[in-house]
Amino acid sequence: MDERAQKDGEKRVRHLLIDQLERLGLMRPAGMAKPAFEAMQDELCQRLAYMTADGLGALAEDMAGRGGGKERDRFPLAARVLERARVIEAPQADASPLIRKVFAARLGEAALAQGFAPELMRWLRSNRQWPSSFVVNGIRDGARENLRRAEDLRASQGRGQELGTGDLAWLEARQAEIARCVQARELGLGDAAGRAGAAA
């Protein structure tokens, strides 16, 4: 999803989900300050920008019956909305703007070179924030076993040994994950080049 598609998607979420729920009478959760409520709605727009109009319509209908508070008249919390969104329309495999930026940076280059890119991608999809150096070290350490397994399986293939179905499927899935990481880097570098060209 490029920057334009992201912005269009955010507008779609605002119109078809957030505005719709507010028209139905769902109000700011009790105890949540207005700036925090607006920030939560902005976060939903960013994270659900991938959803289609049909998916957002279904999500709005689903969430209308899941309001918070005693009277069920409070806007549902973001975590609940995101959980239901994943059930109704799972996120695309395409990289989000954050994932593109991370993979276009030195961190993404290092992750690809050192082999922990799939683990970094999974962490980013779950946490949606730029990882600290402490987190990166943990991701790198946690990837060692997978790296060893991949190297062992490729070495077996290099010796002409046939891999079992499970091992072959695992290795192919990892290769596909690495390809998605490479694509995220290419998209991120393309985004950066586009912004630099526009600024020139």
PDB file of all heavy atoms in Angstrom, residues 99-137:
ATOM      1  N   ILE A  99       6.340  -0.629   8.397  1.00  0.00           N
ATOM      2  CA  ILE A  99       7.190  -1.763   8.022  1.00  0.00           C
ATOM      3  C   ILE A  99       8.107  -1.375   6.857  1.00  0.00           C
ATOM      4  O   ILE A  99       9.286  -1.715   6.842  1.00  0.00           O
ATOM      5  CB  ILE A  99       6.320  -2.998   7.695  1.00  0.00           C
ATOM      6  CG1 ILE A  99       5.677  -3.528   8.986  1.00  0.00           C
ATOM      7  CG2 ILE A  99       7.134  -4.085   7.002  1.00  0.00           C
ATOM      8  CD1 ILE A  99       4.661  -4.619   8.792  1.00  0.00           C
ATOM      9  N   ARG A 100       7.587  -0.618   5.909  1.00  0.00           N
ATOM     10  CA  ARG A 100       8.422  -0.150   4.791  1.00  0.00           C
ATOM     11  C   ARG A 100       9.577   0.706   5.289  1.00  0.00           C
ATOM     12  O   ARG A 100      10.711   0.551   4.854  1.00  0.00           O
ATOM     13  CB  ARG A 100       7.579   0.679   3.819  1.00  0.00           C
ATOM     14  CG  ARG A 100       6.576  -0.122   3.044  1.00  0.00           C
ATOM     15  CD  ARG A 100       5.810   0.807   2.138  1.00  0.00           C
ATOM     16  NE  ARG A 100       4.767   0.104   1.435  1.00  0.00           N
ATOM     17  CZ  ARG A 100       4.219   0.521   0.314  1.00  0.00           C
ATOM     18  NH1 ARG A 100       4.608   1.650  -0.229  1.00  0.00           N
ATOM     19  NH2 ARG A 100       3.277  -0.172  -0.277  1.00  0.00           N
ATOM     20  N   LYS A 101       9.264   1.629   6.214  1.00  0.00           N
ATOM     21  CA  LYS A 101      10.306   2.526   6.737  1.00  0.00           C
ATOM     22  C   LYS A 101      11.387   1.736   7.477  1.00  0.00           C
ATOM     23  O   LYS A 101      12.574   2.006   7.329  1.00  0.00           O
ATOM     24  CB  LYS A 101       9.686   3.574   7.662  1.00  0.00           C
ATOM     25  CG  LYS A 101       9.001   4.723   6.940  1.00  0.00           C
ATOM     26  CD  LYS A 101       8.572   5.782   7.933  1.00  0.00           C
ATOM     27  CE  LYS A 101       7.779   6.901   7.282  1.00  0.00           C
ATOM     28  NZ  LYS A 101       8.499   7.595   6.241  1.00  0.00           N
ATOM     29  N   VAL A 102      10.965   0.769   8.289  1.00  0.00           N
ATOM     30  CA  VAL A 102      11.928  -0.026   9.048  1.00  0.00           C
ATOM     31  C   VAL A 102      12.829  -0.810   8.094  1.00  0.00           C
ATOM     32  O   VAL A 102      14.057  -0.819   8.253  1.00  0.00           O
ATOM     33  CB  VAL A 102      11.215  -0.979  10.027  1.00  0.00           C
ATOM     34  CG1 VAL A 102      12.201  -1.973  10.635  1.00  0.00           C
ATOM     35  CG2 VAL A 102      10.514  -0.189  11.128  1.00  0.00           C
ATOM     36  N   PHE A 103      12.231  -1.443   7.094  1.00  0.00           N
ATOM     37  CA  PHE A 103      13.042  -2.257   6.181  1.00  0.00           C
ATOM     38  C   PHE A 103      13.875  -1.409   5.222  1.00  0.00           C
ATOM     39  O   PHE A 103      14.904  -1.871   4.723  1.00  0.00           O
ATOM     40  CB  PHE A 103      12.178  -3.285   5.443  1.00  0.00           C
ATOM     41  CG  PHE A 103      11.977  -4.527   6.251  1.00  0.00           C
ATOM     42  CD1 PHE A 103      10.844  -4.687   7.032  1.00  0.00           C
ATOM     43  CD2 PHE A 103      12.939  -5.519   6.285  1.00  0.00           C
ATOM     44  CE1 PHE A 103      10.670  -5.814   7.826  1.00  0.00           C
ATOM     45  CE2 PHE A 103      12.787  -6.649   7.066  1.00  0.00           C
ATOM     46  CZ  PHE A 103      11.649  -6.798   7.840  1.00  0.00           C
ATOM     47  N   ALA A 104      13.475  -0.163   4.984  1.00  0.00           N
ATOM     48  CA  ALA A 104      14.270   0.725   4.138  1.00  0.00           C
ATOM     49  C   ALA A 104      15.456   1.309   4.909  1.00  0.00           C
ATOM     50  O   ALA A 104      16.418   1.784   4.317  1.00  0.00           O
ATOM     51  CB  ALA A 104      13.405   1.850   3.579  1.00  0.00           C
ATOM     52  N   ALA A 105      15.374   1.254   6.245  1.00  0.00           N
ATOM     53  CA  ALA A 105      16.429   1.811   7.096  1.00  0.00           C
ATOM     54  C   ALA A 105      17.568   0.793   7.254  1.00  0.00           C
ATOM     55  O   ALA A 105      17.488  -0.351   6.793  1.00  0.00           O
ATOM     56  CB  ALA A 105      15.835   2.170   8.460  1.00  0.00           C
ATOM     57  N   ARG A 106      18.617   1.232   7.970  1.00  0.00           N
ATOM     58  CA  ARG A 106      19.763   0.335   8.225  1.00  0.00           C
ATOM     59  C   ARG A 106      19.338  -0.928   8.957  1.00  0.00           C
ATOM     60  O   ARG A 106      19.895  -1.997   8.748  1.00  0.00           O
ATOM     61  CB  ARG A 106      20.817   1.063   9.052  1.00  0.00           C
ATOM     62  CG  ARG A 106      21.654   2.013   8.242  1.00  0.00           C
ATOM     63  CD  ARG A 106      22.853   2.481   9.056  1.00  0.00           C
ATOM     64  NE  ARG A 106      23.515   3.553   8.353  1.00  0.00           N
ATOM     65  CZ  ARG A 106      24.056   4.596   8.938  1.00  0.00           C
ATOM     66  NH1 ARG A 106      24.006   4.711  10.245  1.00  0.00           N
ATOM     67  NH2 ARG A 106      24.662   5.528   8.243  1.00  0.00           N
ATOM     68  N   LEU A 107      18.340  -0.778   9.840  1.00  0.00           N
ATOM     69  CA  LEU A 107      17.851  -1.930  10.604  1.00  0.00           C
ATOM     70  C   LEU A 107      17.341  -3.014   9.659  1.00  0.00           C
ATOM     71  O   LEU A 107      17.660  -4.198   9.815  1.00  0.00           O
ATOM     72  CB  LEU A 107      16.743  -1.492  11.567  1.00  0.00           C
ATOM     73  CG  LEU A 107      15.952  -2.599  12.267  1.00  0.00           C
ATOM     74  CD1 LEU A 107      16.875  -3.547  13.023  1.00  0.00           C
ATOM     75  CD2 LEU A 107      14.916  -1.991  13.206  1.00  0.00           C
ATOM     76  N   GLY A 108      16.532  -2.634   8.675  1.00  0.00           N
ATOM     77  CA  GLY A 108      16.002  -3.612   7.724  1.00  0.00           C
ATOM     78  C   GLY A 108      17.103  -4.244   6.889  1.00  0.00           C
ATOM     79  O   GLY A 108      17.091  -5.456   6.633  1.00  0.00           O
ATOM     80  N   GLU A 109      18.064  -3.422   6.484  1.00  0.00           N
ATOM     81  CA  GLU A 109      19.202  -3.937   5.708  1.00  0.00           C
ATOM     82  C   GLU A 109      19.974  -4.975   6.525  1.00  0.00           C
ATOM     83  O   GLU A 109      20.319  -6.048   6.029  1.00  0.00           O
ATOM     84  CB  GLU A 109      20.115  -2.763   5.335  1.00  0.00           C
ATOM     85  CG  GLU A 109      21.261  -3.143   4.421  1.00  0.00           C
ATOM     86  CD  GLU A 109      22.109  -1.929   4.055  1.00  0.00           C
ATOM     87  OE1 GLU A 109      22.047  -0.903   4.747  1.00  0.00           O
ATOM     88  OE2 GLU A 109      22.844  -2.035   3.060  1.00  0.00           O
ATOM     89  N   ALA A 110      20.209  -4.658   7.817  1.00  0.00           N
ATOM     90  CA  ALA A 110      20.924  -5.589   8.698  1.00  0.00           C
ATOM     91  C   ALA A 110      20.118  -6.865   8.915  1.00  0.00           C
ATOM     92  O   ALA A 110      20.663  -7.978   8.918  1.00  0.00           O
ATOM     93  CB  ALA A 110      21.216  -4.919  10.039  1.00  0.00           C
ATOM     94  N   ALA A 111      18.804  -6.719   9.088  1.00  0.00           N
ATOM     95  CA  ALA A 111      17.946  -7.887   9.326  1.00  0.00           C
ATOM     96  C   ALA A 111      17.994  -8.845   8.138  1.00  0.00           C
ATOM     97  O   ALA A 111      18.043 -10.069   8.313  1.00  0.00           O
ATOM     98  CB  ALA A 111      16.509  -7.442   9.591  1.00  0.00           C
ATOM     99  N   LEU A 112      17.984  -8.296   6.935  1.00  0.00           N
ATOM    100  CA  LEU A 112      18.065  -9.138   5.735  1.00  0.00           C
ATOM    101  C   LEU A 112      19.449  -9.779   5.619  1.00  0.00           C
ATOM    102  O   LEU A 112      19.572 -10.973   5.319  1.00  0.00           O
ATOM    103  CB  LEU A 112      17.740  -8.322   4.486  1.00  0.00           C
ATOM    104  CG  LEU A 112      16.253  -8.019   4.298  1.00  0.00           C
ATOM    105  CD1 LEU A 112      16.042  -6.864   3.324  1.00  0.00           C
ATOM    106  CD2 LEU A 112      15.507  -9.257   3.821  1.00  0.00           C
ATOM    107  N   ALA A 113      20.495  -8.997   5.876  1.00  0.00           N
ATOM    108  CA  ALA A 113      21.861  -9.511   5.756  1.00  0.00           C
ATOM    109  C   ALA A 113      22.151 -10.588   6.797  1.00  0.00           C
ATOM    110  O   ALA A 113      22.829 -11.583   6.510  1.00  0.00           O
ATOM    111  CB  ALA A 113      22.861  -8.364   5.884  1.00  0.00           C
ATOM    112  N   GLN A 114      21.629 -10.402   8.006  1.00  0.00           N
ATOM    113  CA  GLN A 114      21.929 -11.327   9.105  1.00  0.00           C
ATOM    114  C   GLN A 114      20.892 -12.437   9.258  1.00  0.00           C
ATOM    115  O   GLN A 114      21.047 -13.316  10.094  1.00  0.00           O
ATOM    116  CB  GLN A 114      22.056 -10.536  10.413  1.00  0.00           C
ATOM    117  CG  GLN A 114      23.225  -9.556  10.397  1.00  0.00           C
ATOM    118  CD  GLN A 114      23.200  -8.603  11.579  1.00  0.00           C
ATOM    119  OE1 GLN A 114      22.683  -8.929  12.648  1.00  0.00           O
ATOM    120  NE2 GLN A 114      23.739  -7.402  11.394  1.00  0.00           N
ATOM    121  N   GLY A 115      19.812 -12.378   8.456  1.00  0.00           N
ATOM    122  CA  GLY A 115      18.862 -13.484   8.418  1.00  0.00           C
ATOM    123  C   GLY A 115      17.713 -13.444   9.410  1.00  0.00           C
ATOM    124  O   GLY A 115      16.961 -14.410   9.520  1.00  0.00           O
ATOM    125  N   PHE A 116      17.539 -12.329  10.151  1.00  0.00           N
ATOM    126  CA  PHE A 116      16.426 -12.295  11.112  1.00  0.00           C
ATOM    127  C   PHE A 116      15.255 -11.443  10.618  1.00  0.00           C
ATOM    128  O   PHE A 116      14.385 -11.055  11.386  1.00  0.00           O
ATOM    129  CB  PHE A 116      16.898 -11.854  12.512  1.00  0.00           C
ATOM    130  CG  PHE A 116      17.382 -10.433  12.626  1.00  0.00           C
ATOM    131  CD1 PHE A 116      16.525  -9.413  13.014  1.00  0.00           C
ATOM    132  CD2 PHE A 116      18.715 -10.111  12.357  1.00  0.00           C
ATOM    133  CE1 PHE A 116      16.980  -8.102  13.139  1.00  0.00           C
ATOM    134  CE2 PHE A 116      19.178  -8.806  12.483  1.00  0.00           C
ATOM    135  CZ  PHE A 116      18.304  -7.801  12.876  1.00  0.00           C
ATOM    136  N   ALA A 117      15.214 -11.189   9.307  1.00  0.00           N
ATOM    137  CA  ALA A 117      14.150 -10.365   8.735  1.00  0.00           C
ATOM    138  C   ALA A 117      12.746 -10.924   8.990  1.00  0.00           C
ATOM    139  O   ALA A 117      11.839 -10.162   9.353  1.00  0.00           O
ATOM    140  CB  ALA A 117      14.389 -10.149   7.244  1.00  0.00           C
ATOM    141  N   PRO A 118      12.498 -12.231   8.814  1.00  0.00           N
ATOM    142  CA  PRO A 118      11.133 -12.734   9.064  1.00  0.00           C
ATOM    143  C   PRO A 118      10.669 -12.501  10.503  1.00  0.00           C
ATOM    144  O   PRO A 118       9.512 -12.140  10.747  1.00  0.00           O
ATOM    145  CB  PRO A 118      11.232 -14.231   8.755  1.00  0.00           C
ATOM    146  CG  PRO A 118      12.373 -14.339   7.796  1.00  0.00           C
ATOM    147  CD  PRO A 118      13.352 -13.294   8.262  1.00  0.00           C
ATOM    148  N   GLU A 119      11.586 -12.682  11.453  1.00  0.00           N
ATOM    149  CA  GLU A 119      11.225 -12.470  12.858  1.00  0.00           C
ATOM    150  C   GLU A 119      10.962 -10.982  13.128  1.00  0.00           C
ATOM    151  O   GLU A 119      10.050 -10.636  13.886  1.00  0.00           O
ATOM    152  CB  GLU A 119      12.347 -12.985  13.768  1.00  0.00           C
ATOM    153  CG  GLU A 119      12.452 -14.502  13.849  1.00  0.00           C
ATOM    154  CD  GLU A 119      13.072 -15.168  12.615  1.00  0.00           C
ATOM    155  OE1 GLU A 119      13.731 -14.461  11.811  1.00  0.00           O
ATOM    156  OE2 GLU A 119      12.912 -16.387  12.449  1.00  0.00           O
ATOM    157  N   LEU A 120      11.746 -10.107  12.496  1.00  0.00           N
ATOM    158  CA  LEU A 120      11.520  -8.670  12.643  1.00  0.00           C
ATOM    159  C   LEU A 120      10.164  -8.288  12.057  1.00  0.00           C
ATOM    160  O   LEU A 120       9.406  -7.523  12.670  1.00  0.00           O
ATOM    161  CB  LEU A 120      12.639  -7.891  11.937  1.00  0.00           C
ATOM    162  CG  LEU A 120      12.483  -6.365  11.914  1.00  0.00           C
ATOM    163  CD1 LEU A 120      12.445  -5.791  13.330  1.00  0.00           C
ATOM    164  CD2 LEU A 120      13.602  -5.732  11.095  1.00  0.00           C
ATOM    165  N   MET A 121       9.838  -8.828  10.889  1.00  0.00           N
ATOM    166  CA  MET A 121       8.552  -8.546  10.253  1.00  0.00           C
ATOM    167  C   MET A 121       7.400  -8.970  11.162  1.00  0.00           C
ATOM    168  O   MET A 121       6.433  -8.224  11.359  1.00  0.00           O
ATOM    169  CB  MET A 121       8.452  -9.268   8.909  1.00  0.00           C
ATOM    170  CG  MET A 121       7.113  -9.161   8.223  1.00  0.00           C
ATOM    171  SD  MET A 121       6.817  -7.580   7.409  1.00  0.00           S
ATOM    172  CE  MET A 121       7.593  -7.863   5.821  1.00  0.00           C
ATOM    173  N   ARG A 122       7.496 -10.171  11.742  1.00  0.00           N
ATOM    174  CA  ARG A 122       6.429 -10.654  12.627  1.00  0.00           C
ATOM    175  C   ARG A 122       6.288  -9.749  13.852  1.00  0.00           C
ATOM    176  O   ARG A 122       5.179  -9.451  14.286  1.00  0.00           O
ATOM    177  CB  ARG A 122       6.693 -12.105  13.052  1.00  0.00           C
ATOM    178  CG  ARG A 122       6.349 -13.112  11.957  1.00  0.00           C
ATOM    179  CD  ARG A 122       6.258 -14.521  12.518  1.00  0.00           C
ATOM    180  NE  ARG A 122       7.558 -15.060  12.875  1.00  0.00           N
ATOM    181  CZ  ARG A 122       8.375 -15.677  12.031  1.00  0.00           C
ATOM    182  NH1 ARG A 122       8.039 -15.830  10.766  1.00  0.00           N
ATOM    183  NH2 ARG A 122       9.529 -16.149  12.437  1.00  0.00           N
ATOM    184  N   TRP A 123       7.413  -9.317  14.413  1.00  0.00           N
ATOM    185  CA  TRP A 123       7.363  -8.435  15.586  1.00  0.00           C
ATOM    186  C   TRP A 123       6.687  -7.106  15.220  1.00  0.00           C
ATOM    187  O   TRP A 123       5.852  -6.609  15.969  1.00  0.00           O
ATOM    188  CB  TRP A 123       8.786  -8.180  16.110  1.00  0.00           C
ATOM    189  CG  TRP A 123       8.774  -7.459  17.426  1.00  0.00           C
ATOM    190  CD1 TRP A 123       8.784  -8.013  18.672  1.00  0.00           C
ATOM    191  CD2 TRP A 123       8.714  -6.033  17.626  1.00  0.00           C
ATOM    192  NE1 TRP A 123       8.730  -7.026  19.641  1.00  0.00           N
ATOM    193  CE2 TRP A 123       8.690  -5.795  19.027  1.00  0.00           C
ATOM    194  CE3 TRP A 123       8.671  -4.939  16.776  1.00  0.00           C
ATOM    195  CZ2 TRP A 123       8.634  -4.516  19.579  1.00  0.00           C
ATOM    196  CZ3 TRP A 123       8.603  -3.655  17.314  1.00  0.00           C
ATOM    197  CH2 TRP A 123       8.592  -3.456  18.704  1.00  0.00           C
ATOM    198  N   LEU A 124       7.036  -6.562  14.064  1.00  0.00           N
ATOM    199  CA  LEU A 124       6.453  -5.288  13.633  1.00  0.00           C
ATOM    200  C   LEU A 124       4.949  -5.414  13.413  1.00  0.00           C
ATOM    201  O   LEU A 124       4.189  -4.517  13.772  1.00  0.00           O
ATOM    202  CB  LEU A 124       7.136  -4.813  12.336  1.00  0.00           C
ATOM    203  CG  LEU A 124       8.581  -4.335  12.488  1.00  0.00           C
ATOM    204  CD1 LEU A 124       9.232  -4.192  11.115  1.00  0.00           C
ATOM    205  CD2 LEU A 124       8.638  -3.023  13.252  1.00  0.00           C
ATOM    206  N   ARG A 125       4.514  -6.518  12.817  1.00  0.00           N
ATOM    207  CA  ARG A 125       3.080  -6.711  12.581  1.00  0.00           C
ATOM    208  C   ARG A 125       2.314  -6.792  13.900  1.00  0.00           C
ATOM    209  O   ARG A 125       1.178  -6.335  14.000  1.00  0.00           O
ATOM    210  CB  ARG A 125       2.835  -7.977  11.761  1.00  0.00           C
ATOM    211  CG  ARG A 125       3.214  -7.838  10.292  1.00  0.00           C
ATOM    212  CD  ARG A 125       2.678  -9.017   9.505  1.00  0.00           C
ATOM    213  NE  ARG A 125       3.190  -9.049   8.156  1.00  0.00           N
ATOM    214  CZ  ARG A 125       2.798  -8.244   7.168  1.00  0.00           C
ATOM    215  NH1 ARG A 125       1.900  -7.325   7.395  1.00  0.00           N
ATOM    216  NH2 ARG A 125       3.314  -8.356   5.961  1.00  0.00           N
ATOM    217  N   SER A 126       2.934  -7.374  14.919  1.00  0.00           N
ATOM    218  CA  SER A 126       2.258  -7.527  16.215  1.00  0.00           C
ATOM    219  C   SER A 126       2.299  -6.256  17.050  1.00  0.00           C
ATOM    220  O   SER A 126       1.353  -5.957  17.775  1.00  0.00           O
ATOM    221  CB  SER A 126       2.908  -8.648  17.030  1.00  0.00           C
ATOM    222  OG  SER A 126       2.741  -9.880  16.387  1.00  0.00           O
ATOM    223  N   ASN A 127       3.399  -5.502  16.959  1.00  0.00           N
ATOM    224  CA  ASN A 127       3.612  -4.385  17.885  1.00  0.00           C
ATOM    225  C   ASN A 127       3.411  -3.003  17.284  1.00  0.00           C
ATOM    226  O   ASN A 127       3.198  -2.041  18.019  1.00  0.00           O
ATOM    227  CB  ASN A 127       5.007  -4.485  18.505  1.00  0.00           C
ATOM    228  CG  ASN A 127       5.130  -5.708  19.388  1.00  0.00           C
ATOM    229  OD1 ASN A 127       4.730  -5.698  20.533  1.00  0.00           O
ATOM    230  ND2 ASN A 127       5.655  -6.796  18.823  1.00  0.00           N
ATOM    231  N   ARG A 128       3.515  -2.894  15.958  1.00  0.00           N
ATOM    232  CA  ARG A 128       3.240  -1.633  15.255  1.00  0.00           C
ATOM    233  C   ARG A 128       3.997  -0.442  15.845  1.00  0.00           C
ATOM    234  O   ARG A 128       3.425   0.611  16.093  1.00  0.00           O
ATOM    235  CB  ARG A 128       1.738  -1.331  15.271  1.00  0.00           C
ATOM    236  CG  ARG A 128       0.896  -2.383  14.602  1.00  0.00           C
ATOM    237  CD  ARG A 128       1.043  -2.336  13.116  1.00  0.00           C
ATOM    238  NE  ARG A 128       0.238  -3.358  12.479  1.00  0.00           N
ATOM    239  CZ  ARG A 128       0.077  -3.461  11.186  1.00  0.00           C
ATOM    240  NH1 ARG A 128       0.651  -2.607  10.377  1.00  0.00           N
ATOM    241  NH2 ARG A 128      -0.654  -4.421  10.669  1.00  0.00           N
ATOM    242  N   GLN A 129       5.285  -0.625  16.132  1.00  0.00           N
ATOM    243  CA  GLN A 129       6.125   0.483  16.568  1.00  0.00           C
ATOM    244  C   GLN A 129       7.569   0.186  16.190  1.00  0.00           C
ATOM    245  O   GLN A 129       7.919  -0.965  15.920  1.00  0.00           O
ATOM    246  CB  GLN A 129       6.003   0.704  18.076  1.00  0.00           C
ATOM    247  CG  GLN A 129       6.389  -0.501  18.920  1.00  0.00           C
ATOM    248  CD  GLN A 129       6.195  -0.251  20.389  1.00  0.00           C
ATOM    249  OE1 GLN A 129       6.803   0.643  20.943  1.00  0.00           O
ATOM    250  NE2 GLN A 129       5.353  -1.052  21.036  1.00  0.00           N
ATOM    251  N   TRP A 130       8.389   1.235  16.160  1.00  0.00           N
ATOM    252  CA  TRP A 130       9.793   1.058  15.814  1.00  0.00           C
ATOM    253  C   TRP A 130      10.473   0.375  16.989  1.00  0.00           C
ATOM    254  O   TRP A 130      10.388   0.855  18.118  1.00  0.00           O
ATOM    255  CB  TRP A 130      10.432   2.423  15.552  1.00  0.00           C
ATOM    256  CG  TRP A 130      11.709   2.309  14.784  1.00  0.00           C
ATOM    257  CD1 TRP A 130      12.917   1.870  15.258  1.00  0.00           C
ATOM    258  CD2 TRP A 130      11.915   2.620  13.407  1.00  0.00           C
ATOM    259  NE1 TRP A 130      13.847   1.897  14.266  1.00  0.00           N
ATOM    260  CE2 TRP A 130      13.273   2.356  13.123  1.00  0.00           C
ATOM    261  CE3 TRP A 130      11.091   3.099  12.401  1.00  0.00           C
ATOM    262  CZ2 TRP A 130      13.812   2.557  11.851  1.00  0.00           C
ATOM    263  CZ3 TRP A 130      11.628   3.294  11.149  1.00  0.00           C
ATOM    264  CH2 TRP A 130      12.975   3.028  10.874  1.00  0.00           C
ATOM    265  N   PRO A 131      11.157  -0.748  16.757  1.00  0.00           N
ATOM    266  CA  PRO A 131      11.748  -1.471  17.892  1.00  0.00           C
ATOM    267  C   PRO A 131      12.992  -0.775  18.445  1.00  0.00           C
ATOM    268  O   PRO A 131      13.772  -0.206  17.686  1.00  0.00           O
ATOM    269  CB  PRO A 131      12.106  -2.832  17.286  1.00  0.00           C
ATOM    270  CG  PRO A 131      12.311  -2.563  15.830  1.00  0.00           C
ATOM    271  CD  PRO A 131      11.373  -1.436  15.480  1.00  0.00           C
ATOM    272  N   SER A 132      13.159  -0.836  19.760  1.00  0.00           N
ATOM    273  CA  SER A 132      14.370  -0.301  20.392  1.00  0.00           C
ATOM    274  C   SER A 132      15.531  -1.248  20.115  1.00  0.00           C
ATOM    275  O   SER A 132      15.341  -2.391  19.674  1.00  0.00           O
ATOM    276  CB  SER A 132      14.148  -0.196  21.905  1.00  0.00           C
ATOM    277  OG  SER A 132      14.018  -1.504  22.451  1.00  0.00           O
ATOM    278  N   SER A 133      16.751  -0.802  20.390  1.00  0.00           N
ATOM    279  CA  SER A 133      17.923  -1.661  20.164  1.00  0.00           C
ATOM    280  C   SER A 133      17.854  -2.907  21.052  1.00  0.00           C
ATOM    281  O   SER A 133      18.258  -3.999  20.646  1.00  0.00           O
ATOM    282  CB  SER A 133      19.216  -0.892  20.418  1.00  0.00           C
ATOM    283  OG  SER A 133      19.205  -0.348  21.715  1.00  0.00           O
ATOM    284  N   PHE A 134      17.286  -2.755  22.254  1.00  0.00           N
ATOM    285  CA  PHE A 134      17.119  -3.899  23.155  1.00  0.00           C
ATOM    286  C   PHE A 134      16.191  -4.944  22.521  1.00  0.00           C
ATOM    287  O   PHE A 134      16.479  -6.146  22.535  1.00  0.00           O
ATOM    288  CB  PHE A 134      16.553  -3.426  24.502  1.00  0.00           C
ATOM    289  CG  PHE A 134      16.254  -4.533  25.465  1.00  0.00           C
ATOM    290  CD1 PHE A 134      17.267  -5.138  26.198  1.00  0.00           C
ATOM    291  CD2 PHE A 134      14.953  -4.996  25.629  1.00  0.00           C
ATOM    292  CE1 PHE A 134      16.987  -6.180  27.087  1.00  0.00           C
ATOM    293  CE2 PHE A 134      14.665  -6.026  26.512  1.00  0.00           C
ATOM    294  CZ  PHE A 134      15.693  -6.623  27.242  1.00  0.00           C
ATOM    295  N   VAL A 135      15.073  -4.470  21.958  1.00  0.00           N
ATOM    296  CA  VAL A 135      14.115  -5.367  21.304  1.00  0.00           C
ATOM    297  C   VAL A 135      14.761  -6.040  20.097  1.00  0.00           C
ATOM    298  O   VAL A 135      14.607  -7.241  19.876  1.00  0.00           O
ATOM    299  CB  VAL A 135      12.834  -4.600  20.894  1.00  0.00           C
ATOM    300  CG1 VAL A 135      11.971  -5.432  19.953  1.00  0.00           C
ATOM    301  CG2 VAL A 135      12.031  -4.221  22.131  1.00  0.00           C
ATOM    302  N   VAL A 136      15.507  -5.259  19.313  1.00  0.00           N
ATOM    303  CA  VAL A 136      16.169  -5.815  18.121  1.00  0.00           C
ATOM    304  C   VAL A 136      17.128  -6.930  18.515  1.00  0.00           C
ATOM    305  O   VAL A 136      17.166  -7.989  17.866  1.00  0.00           O
ATOM    306  CB  VAL A 136      16.908  -4.709  17.330  1.00  0.00           C
ATOM    307  CG1 VAL A 136      17.771  -5.320  16.226  1.00  0.00           C
ATOM    308  CG2 VAL A 136      15.905  -3.726  16.734  1.00  0.00           C
ATOM    309  N   ASN A 137      17.886  -6.720  19.599  1.00  0.00           N
ATOM    310  CA  ASN A 137      18.804  -7.770  20.060  1.00  0.00           C
ATOM    311  C   ASN A 137      18.039  -9.034  20.438  1.00  0.00           C
ATOM    312  O   ASN A 137      18.473 -10.148  20.136  1.00  0.00           O
ATOM    313  CB  ASN A 137      19.625  -7.281  21.262  1.00  0.00           C
ATOM    314  CG  ASN A 137      20.677  -6.274  20.852  1.00  0.00           C
ATOM    315  OD1 ASN A 137      21.116  -6.258  19.707  1.00  0.00           O
ATOM    316  ND2 ASN A 137      21.083  -5.421  21.786  1.00  0.00           N
TER     317      ASN A 137
END
